[in-house]
Amino acid sequence: MKYPFLQLSDVNAPYAEQLKEAAARVIDSGWYLNGNETKALERELAQVCQTTHALTVSNGLDALRLIFRAYIRLGRLHEGDEVIVQANTYIASVLAIHDAGLTPVLVDPSESTYNLDSSLIERSITEKTRAILVVHLYGTPCWDSKIKEIAERHDLLVIEDNAQAIGALADTPGLNGTNPTGGLGHAAAISFYPTKNVGALGDAGAITSSDTQLIDTARALANYGSDRRYHNIYQGFNCRMDEIQAAFLRVKLRHLDDESQARHLAACAYDEAITNPLIRKPEIFEGMRQVWHQYVIRCEERDRLRQHLLDNGVGTDIHYATPPHMQPCYEGTFSNPLPMTERLADQIVSLPIATITPSDAQAIAHLINTFK
Ligand SMILES: *Cc1c(COP(=O)(O)O)cnc(C)c1O
């Protein structure tokens, strides 16, 4: 295939030498958990997200689970509280809310941003609502003055699912384009799953927050509930990040800006070159920086378009074909209608983006334009 959807070896090839050096450094150190690499990565992540703290953990789902469970320990959330989340997210966002004994309330996304529709949030708020989980889906910040204002007025925690958007900048009123995702709300979860914009060579994740109590509680919960050696204040878990993954991630994080810029140029090339009226392109917004974890177009005859591209050597994917509320594990759980989520699930197609140059994007756009 000329343009596979995503080839992880291609993603990591430019950094192979630096990754091997990082691995050798950890192997030779004899220190494989809770060491200098995870500590340094925590400082570097806090800097990227402009928070005072970061906590390295095992994966993105665990980062979310720990945030919710830590806020329960701190008395900020209670079992049965409702958490608003967009219905077209990856299932991990919903699983984390449930896992902590909280109740996810699914809300349809906006057709223009694919993120939480702020005009639909208010009508989903009840006397049990205590938090909003904003998901920066596909690398587009889910943040506007309305979300901020609603959260403040109803005294809601704002938790960010930043799994797809590290390096993105939100458009915050009064602070144009300078607010990184991961530092917008009270606490945020990052995933370093290998396909994410900053990918480990295995599983890894992180929490970023300027709430010291939240970070201290999550850190203890992630390490058997211990606040110091052999002293357990909580019935905790083991959610630590390996030193070797932290060393790899420090290499990858150094190149985040270049990688985001390359994705931006590919997205702009797609945007300029795709002219087929059967295709709806994603919006490129002024005033914020999107990091294009996915470049998602829409087509009413999605499956026929995918076949056309496949026949011409272009791999595509769907994020996500079956929304969480339609998964077998949630049968009978959610009863509110989610027409936009279901319509999008039938129409969306993700084009290759991770290692795509502007000229690759033009060639793929040309193939899309021949679809009729
Ligand atoms: C990938 C992802 C997660 C989960 O991250 P893992 O590291 O795979 O556990 C959570 N939320 C969203 C939106 C994701 O894309």
Side-chain angles (χ1 to χ4, degrees):
M1 188 163 347
K2 179 124 196 258
Y3 300 108
F5 176 70
L6 178 66
Q7 193 106 57
L8 287 175
S9 51
D10 291 347
V11 170
N12 289 315
Y15 313 118
E17 282 315 309
Q18 296 167 62
L19 293 170
K20 284 172 191 169
E21 275 169 34
R25 191 170 71 226
V26 174
I27 292 166
D28 294 346
S29 77
W31 197 280
Y32 306 123
L33 288 163
N34 293 339
N36 292 335
E37 300 291 339
T38 42
K39 273 197 208 90
L41 179 62
E42 287 177 354
R43 285 194 297 272
E44 291 157 8
L45 286 170
Q47 206 159 28
V48 168
C49 297
Q50 289 175 23
T51 54
T52 52
H53 306 286
L55 169 64
T56 52
V57 299
S58 36
N59 56 62
L61 175 59
D62 282 349
L64 285 167
R65 294 169 64 217
L66 287 163
I67 291 171
F68 287 117
R69 287 183 177 252
Y71 276 127
I72 288 172
R73 290 286 174 188
L74 291 168
R76 297 286 299 275
L77 293 173
H78 298 90
E79 211 174 300
D81 284 352
E82 291 178 357
V83 180
I84 287 175
V85 62
Q86 69 203 54
N88 60 329
T89 185
Y90 181 55
I91 195 166
S93 322
V94 184
L95 291 173
I97 298 169
H98 260 142
D99 172 77
L102 304 165
T103 303
V105 174
L106 302 181
V107 176
D108 250 347
S110 142
E111 182 164 25
S112 127
T113 63
Y114 301 144
N115 277 332
L116 207 53
D117 187 336
S118 50
S119 69
L120 298 182
I121 297 176
E122 198 106 46
R123 72 179 74 159
S124 302
I125 292 179
T126 72
E127 70 280 3
K128 286 181 158 175
T129 310
R130 292 290 175 273
I132 305 180
L133 178 58
V134 298
V135 184
H136 309 303
L137 203 67
Y138 309 145
T140 297
C142 176
W143 192 245
D144 60 21
S145 49
K146 185 115 189 259
I147 294 179
K148 198 164 179 278
E149 185 271 317
I150 292 170
E152 280 165 8
R153 183 152 40 84
H154 293 272
D155 194 20
L156 306 177
L157 286 171
V158 176
I159 295 160
E160 298 170 73
D161 183 334
N162 195 24
Q164 302 190 0
I166 184 166
L169 301 176
D171 184 7
T172 304
L175 286 167
N176 213 11
T178 55
N179 285 27
T181 59
L184 302 169
H186 295 88
I190 308 176
S191 166
F192 300 112
Y193 184 74
T195 64
K196 299 289 157 80
N197 288 29
V198 175
L201 278 66
D203 273 317
I207 298 172
T208 52
S209 176
S210 294
D211 181 340
T212 306
Q213 272 191 316
L214 179 274
I215 289 285
D216 288 348
T217 308
R219 193 183 294 279
L221 281 172
N223 193 25
Y224 308 110
S226 59
D227 59 345
R228 56 192 150 88
R229 204 152 181 250
Y230 301 132
H231 186 262
N232 303 79
I233 51 173
Y234 307 122
Q235 297 171 25
F237 316 97
N238 176 354
C239 305
R240 297 177 300 227
M241 183 193 286
D242 296 336
E243 282 285 292
I244 201 162
Q245 294 301 343
F248 290 147
L249 287 167
R250 293 182 65 206
V251 170
K252 301 289 290 284
L253 197 61
R254 283 206 293 275
H255 301 281
L256 173 60
D257 279 341
D258 295 342
E259 290 280 342
S260 300
Q261 180 62 10
R263 284 173 186 259
H264 172 71
L265 293 177
C268 291
Y270 275 135
D271 187 63
E272 203 175 294
I274 298 173
T275 53
N276 189 331
L278 299 174
I279 305 298
R280 181 167 168 156
K281 295 176 285 188
E283 287 190 44
I284 300 179
F285 295 100
E286 297 272 309
M288 62 168 82
R289 178 163 84 175
Q290 295 158 275
V291 291
W292 303 102
H293 174 59
Q294 303 297 351
Y295 186 87
V296 178
I297 60 171
R298 283 164 61 188
C299 177
E300 299 224 349
E301 290 190 79
R302 186 258 313 276
D303 295 338
R304 211 162 58 73
L305 172 67
R306 289 190 78 197
Q307 190 58 50
H308 167 78
L309 289 172
L310 190 62
D311 293 344
N312 287 282
V314 180
T316 58
D317 207 340
I318 303 176
H319 300 91
Y320 301 93
T322 307
H325 72 281
M326 295 171 79
Q327 293 289 353
C329 68
Y330 281 134
E331 204 184 323
T333 308
F334 300 101
S335 55
N336 56 316
L338 296 161
M340 182 59 69
T341 300
E342 293 178 19
R343 174 137 49 96
L344 291 176
D346 286 340
Q347 297 182 352
I348 50 179
V349 189
S350 305
L351 300 181
I353 185 90
T355 53
I356 290 294
T357 65
S359 68
D360 294 336
Q362 280 161 5
I364 295 167
H366 176 72
L367 294 168
I368 291 170
N369 292 341
T370 63
F371 176 75
K372 36 183 189 299

